[in-house]
Amino acid sequence: MDLRLTARARLTIALSLPLIAVLPLHRSVAAQGPAPDAAQTRFVDDLIHRMTLEEKIGQMSQIALNTPDNTSAEAEVRAGHVGSFLFVTDPARIDHLQHVAVEQTRLHIPILFGFDVIHGFRTVYPVPLAMAASWDPEVPAKVQRMAAREASAAGVRWTFAPMVDIARDARWGRMMEGAGEDPFLGSRMAEAQVRGFQGTALSNPDSIVACVKHYAGYGAADGGRDYDSSNISDADLQNIYLPPFHAAERAGAGTFMPAYMDLNGVPAAGNHWLLRDVLKDQWHFQGFVVSDWDAVRNLVTHGFAKDDADAAARSANAGVDMEMTSHIFRDHLAALVKSGTVSQATVDEAVRRILTIKYRLGLFDHPYANPNNAAARMVTPEQRAEARKAGARTAVLLRNEGSVLPLKKSPGTVAVIGPLADSKVDIGGSWSLASHPADNVSVLEGLRRRFPSQPNAVRYSKGVEIERTQPSIFDDQFPEPPLTLHTEAEKHAAFQQAIDLVKSSDVAVLVLGELMSMSGEQAARSTLDLPGRQEELLEAAVATGKPVVLVLLNARPLAINWAAQHVPAILEAWYPGTEGGNAIADLLFGDAVPGGKLPVTFPRSVGQEPLFYARYLTMNPGNVGNMYWDGPSAPLYPFGFGLSYSTFTIADLKLSTPQINAGASLEVTVTVKNTGQYAADQVVQLYTHQRSGSASRPVRELKGFRRITLQPGESKPVTLTLDTHDLGFWSTATRAFAIEPGTFDLWVGDSSTSTANHATFEVTHP
Ligand code: BGC
């Protein structure tokens, strides 16, 4: 389909609707990525021409290799049954299997090795939710570039990332893998990650092809329960859930992965509308679609397909090009093509897409891995430095009463307390499958390293442990770390020992939060409290009267109401990765100044979920904080919130014009001044609200941001460009995208609730 026609069609629909200026919403009409060159097309066409149906279906099959034995894998490769392997990360093994594919198969087609490089490979960086908290797209761009270098050094040229699911329900554990609740922030983070993974060209040996997942709406799972259905209105899908996917696609992402769940009753892996109508036809996506793990077979489990053959047919026809793990394509596609249920053209198109990505990666010219490549096996000083910087840049300071932080350079004695304080596993966060926890720096280690000649300056006591209360389907693969406190007496003694240590120290750093296994896949929670007896430990530590700093390691909002009122300093450090302990020590002692902002709203209780800032006005807007009988409805910490050791003013709001044509851009300028004592960062955030239109619009929507650094006393003008395309939306009333004329509010401030700089402007029809 020609996108210009789509735009024209949209315009035609719109012209029948008075008062609404419909313009194509998206700035560029063509999908990015290089136009196919003639040599590429010829090469791929020629190969397809020579392939048997079985060889084609082999290319459409991805096999998980999670046992050490190569025998059956080699046989599968020789039989032409493998287009891709996932979960092989050893360069020697990759190299070996690639030699089999290239030298011992009829057409010498190389294998594409894929892996979940989510926030690092051997070196681990802050989890994606933390990357979003940096409000600096250069952070994900840089760290995913570093991750791509390590992964490609091992021969892994494909990552199942970025995960760009918008998540507005903190119970959902996979919130950790994405950029949080906002489509604008999420889109910028999505593009940056694609840029980082894929580099300047896929053919660079250190580029890995991105896989945008989980397309689409996975984050809206009912009740936050992983894999549960998502029921999303057309408007929310178009305005909230799809934009980060489209942004990643326009940034040139090479592959897409449909989600596991039913979207409005149709499983994503069999959803023709999502995969063909939107992704391939409307967006002109040129890459290929890989299913999620067993998701093709699961079309039967969902009660959607009647049997495996039906699942294969509906998935392939819907637009899945490669099947991850369930072998349904391999077992049924040939018969389906012979019976005409799946056309030869559908298979050829899938294979063309897959081979084109292999070609663009340069795999036909340089298929092999270097079995001795040290870069894949070690955390280099350069990687460590980047991880440390990113760890500091992603933390969010939630409270700092009486300027407890930064700690004095010689603080006397420090008690480091809590079940996560000396954990080298948890600090890495979930989805760090190729990492070695021994490489990681725990918070305790990071703090101790600051006082090498004073072995007793930093003392540690665990206090409590976090015990899982429900079994996990991943227990076999990823068992929880063993508990060491068993009897009530042992638990009591450990608790007491920690509190005694606080009493005998000058300052206490409590490192609390969630085990890393409490977020990620299959990690939904039914409460958002600090799990186990951590809250009790925290309250007892504060009751000693010593200054307490709470460092949180977690990857979802937590309902920390008591702490928000009683603990003087709270630093949300997320899961910062390999250099986490050093990054946190840098922040606590002021060698780095927190400048991150929340990419998700923090609630007061789980009962408020889903909770997000971009809500709609109600019939009684004055009552928004008071919508429950038994507690406040306002959040604990709003989206975009975060403190600094310094202070800032944002003033002198100026708009380049009070009236603007739909399709044009507006310059919005403020002056930001660092009024405190530290060189520090501020994130300038621009929000808008459309006062009336064909449908109600959210009270505020983020439409621009910039993170800047200012020296003490320094002030700088900051200009953000508001592109009116970003004011467009898909309206339920018109069933079209439009930039509607009318009055808009605009705010520029340091969070989604700031009211200091407000203006209005008019959007008019050109
Ligand atoms: C997850 C995907 C992941 C895949 C391969 C699935 O269970 O949903 O996000 O990429 O496994 O590890």
Side-chain angles (χ1 to χ4, degrees):
M1 191 197 297
D2 182 339
L3 249 192
R4 280 164 304 172
L5 278 185
T6 316
R8 200 182 312 141
R10 285 197 218 119
L11 203 54
T12 316
I13 303 166
L15 287 178
S16 59
L17 303 162
L19 294 179
I20 296 171
V22 172
L23 295 172
L25 184 68
H26 305 299
R27 278 159 243 178
S28 68
V29 285
Q32 295 201 355
D37 62 60
Q40 171 187 305
T41 310
R42 226 178 10 253
F43 181 90
V44 171
D45 283 351
D46 175 60
L47 207 42
I48 292 175
H49 188 67
R50 290 189 289 137
M51 289 169 86
T52 63
L53 180 58
E54 198 188 13
E55 284 164 339
K56 290 176 184 171
I57 295 167
Q59 287 303 309
M60 295 170 72
S61 303
Q62 183 185 57
I63 296 183
L65 203 49
N66 38 17
T67 58
D69 178 36
N70 269 348
T71 325
S72 66
E74 284 177 24
E76 298 272 23
V77 174
R78 278 191 206 99
H81 286 164
V82 188
S84 169
F85 279 118
L86 81 153
F87 283 173
V88 197
T89 54
D90 170 14
R93 198 172 187 202
I94 290 178
D95 185 59
H96 172 73
L97 290 167
Q98 196 69 294
H99 274 277
V100 176
V102 173
E103 287 152 23
Q104 300 177 34
T105 61
R106 197 175 72 89
L107 293 171
H108 318 291
I109 301 175
I111 291 167
L112 176 54
F113 289 86
F115 189 70
D116 291 282
V117 184
I118 307 294
H119 54 114
F121 189 68
R122 174 73 187 248
T123 311
V124 182
Y125 296 95
V127 296
L129 186 66
M131 292 186 207
S134 72
W135 288 63
D136 175 6
E138 288 317 302
V139 169
K142 183 76 204 226
V143 304
Q144 300 300 30
R145 185 86 293 276
M146 303 292 270
R149 275 195 216 157
E150 268 186 7
S152 58
V156 170
R157 298 293 307 280
W158 183 17
T159 175
F160 307 118
M163 189 279 220
V164 305
D165 294 313
I166 295 299
R168 296 179 154 196
D169 188 331
R171 292 172 293 183
W172 192 54
R174 302 199 80 169
M175 175 181 269
M176 165 235 141
E177 298 169 51
E181 73 184 49
D182 186 73
F184 187 88
L185 183 63
S187 297
R188 303 296 80 79
M189 294 297 155
E191 293 155 0
Q193 292 188 74
V194 172
R195 187 152 50 90
F197 287 131
Q198 298 195 165
T200 49
L202 273 188
S203 55
N204 297 342
D206 66 358
S207 288
I208 64 179
V209 60
C211 182
V212 190
K213 70 185 188 185
H214 307 85
Y215 184 64
Y218 190 22
D222 284 344
R225 293 176 295 269
D226 206 6
Y227 314 140
D228 224 334
S229 314
S230 293
N231 289 290
I232 306 176
S233 71
D234 290 349
D236 277 3
L237 199 54
Q238 298 284 359
N239 297 324
I240 296 161
Y241 292 93
L242 289 183
F245 286 96
H246 200 180
E249 192 277 331
R250 274 182 277 147
T255 72
F256 260 62
M257 181 190 291
Y260 274 134
M261 80 299 137
D262 274 346
L263 173 65
N264 299 333
V266 181
N271 198 314
H272 190 283
W273 177 79
L274 266 180
L275 301 176
R276 284 213 190 272
D277 299 355
V278 177
L279 179 65
K280 291 182 174 177
D281 291 347
Q282 208 177 310
W283 295 355
H284 288 222
F285 173 62
Q286 300 296 314
F288 73 85
V289 173
V290 63
S291 80
D292 203 342
W293 186 283
D294 274 1
V296 177
R297 175 182 288 140
N298 284 343
L299 294 184
V300 180
T301 320
H302 277 276
F304 178 74
K306 71 172 184 289
D307 53 26
D308 286 355
D310 189 33
R314 290 170 78 180
S315 187
N317 286 336
V320 170
D321 302 306
M322 182 185 278
E323 177 193 22
M324 186 186 279
T325 66
S326 54
H327 311 310
I328 303 287
F329 279 4
R330 193 180 72 190
D331 297 345
H332 297 280
L333 263 189
L336 290 163
V337 171
K338 281 175 196 131
S339 70
T341 315
V342 174
S343 71
Q344 183 66 56
T346 298
V347 169
D348 286 355
E349 185 216 311
V351 175
R352 177 171 290 105
R353 287 170 178 272
I354 294 163
L355 294 179
T356 300
I357 291 292
K358 290 188 177 184
Y359 182 97
R360 286 181 53 206
L361 281 164
L363 281 178
F364 287 98
D365 293 329
H366 305 286
Y368 303 118
N370 173 357
N372 304 314
N373 198 338
R377 298 176 197 272
M378 60 187 281
V379 180
T380 62
E382 192 195 357
Q383 298 271 9
R384 278 202 184 276
E386 208 52 57
R388 186 169 181 161
K389 234 186 326 177
R393 233 170 141 65
T394 48
V396 182
L397 184 67
L398 297 177
R399 197 162 197 255
N400 196 18
E401 289 300 298
S403 299
V404 170
L405 291 176
L407 298 174
K408 292 194 207 68
K409 299 279 174 188
S410 17
T413 51
V414 183
V416 181
I417 308 289
L420 303 174
D422 196 26
S423 172
K424 288 161 97 68
V425 173
D426 294 297
I427 199 144
S430 181
W431 286 114
S432 32
L433 301 171
S435 75
H436 293 201
D439 294 335
N440 295 351
V441 181
S442 73
V443 179
L444 178 65
E445 287 172 328
L447 290 172
R448 282 204 166 133
R449 284 179 190 179
R450 299 189 76 90
F451 305 99
S453 57
Q454 300 168 58
N456 291 324
V458 177
R459 293 174 297 163
Y460 160 69
S461 180
K462 184 190 268 190
V464 298
E465 288 178 328
I466 304 171
E467 211 168 320
R468 188 174 184 113
T469 50
Q470 288 288 313
S472 156
I473 56 166
F474 294 137
D475 275 348
D476 293 348
Q477 288 161 278
F478 309 112
E480 299 288 340
L483 297 171
T484 59
L485 306 171
H486 302 289
T487 65
E488 277 313 306
E490 283 168 351
K491 290 178 187 173
H492 179 77
F495 192 102
Q496 217 32 61
Q497 193 190 49
I499 299 305
D500 290 345
L501 189 59
V502 173
K503 286 183 184 154
S504 65
S505 304
D506 295 308
V507 58
V509 175
L510 271 81
V511 186
L512 309 180
E514 297 182 330
L515 295 172
M516 68 94 167
S517 59
M518 296 176 75
S519 58
E521 190 168 346
Q522 261 283 315
R525 288 193 64 200
S526 64
T527 79
L528 298 175
D529 302 333
L530 284 169
R533 293 182 65 201
Q534 295 184 97
E535 178 80 27
E536 218 181 304
L537 185 71
L538 180 64
E539 293 186 16
V542 171
T544 63
K546 297 287 177 164
V548 170
V549 175
L550 170 60
V551 173
L552 289 170
L553 299 186
N554 55 289
R556 60 154 60 79
L558 292 173
I560 46 164
N561 301 294
W562 188 90
Q565 285 181 32
H566 299 100
V567 180
I570 306 175
L571 183 71
E572 175 54 84
W574 315 105
Y575 297 116
T578 302
E579 279 289 307
N582 286 331
I584 289 170
D586 289 345
L587 289 160
L588 295 183
F589 285 95
D591 292 339
V593 176
K597 303 278 183 180
L598 294 179
V600 273
T601 303
F602 270 45
R604 292 166 196 270
S605 80
V606 72
Q608 293 180 309
E609 293 293 319
L611 190 67
F612 46 91
Y613 82 96
R615 36 184 299 285
Y616 291 81
L617 287 160
T618 66
M619 52 78 83
N620 187 357
N623 193 36
V624 286
N626 208 10
M627 296 164 95
Y628 293 113
W629 184 85
D630 54 358
S633 42
L636 182 63
Y637 295 114
F639 176 84
F641 173 79
L643 301 170
S644 167
Y645 298 154
S646 205
T647 49
F648 295 88
T649 56
I650 301 178
D652 304 332
L653 173 65
K654 285 189 194 70
L655 272 52
S656 56
T657 166
Q659 185 174 319
I660 182 168
N661 278 337
S665 297
L666 183 68
E667 306 278 280
V668 179
T669 305
V670 286
T671 304
V672 186
K673 180 164 190 197
N674 181 344
T675 51
Q677 310 295 316
Y678 298 84
D681 289 6
Q682 178 60 292
V683 180
V684 182
Q685 304 167 36
L686 186 162
Y687 296 88
T688 61
H689 166 65
Q690 181 177 332
R691 287 196 176 172
S692 62
S694 68
S696 306
R697 300 302 298 138
V699 285
R700 280 192 185 200
E701 295 178 281
L702 182 72
K703 296 296 176 194
F705 62 89
R706 183 156 334 128
R707 181 167 173 161
I708 57 161
T709 305
L710 292 176
Q711 299 304 313
E714 187 185 357
S715 78
K716 243 188 211 165
V718 174
T719 298
L720 299 172
T721 301
L722 175 62
D723 186 331
T724 49
H725 287 103
D726 289 327
L727 301 174
F729 71 102
W730 190 95
S731 166
T732 307
T734 61
R735 303 201 68 76
F737 282 101
I739 304 163
E740 298 187 351
T743 307
F744 287 74
D745 292 291
L746 177 148
W747 297 265
V748 180
D750 60 358
S751 91
S752 61
T753 53
S754 116
T755 50
N757 299 287
H758 173 248
T760 59
F761 63 94
E762 299 292 321
V763 171
T764 50
H765 197 286

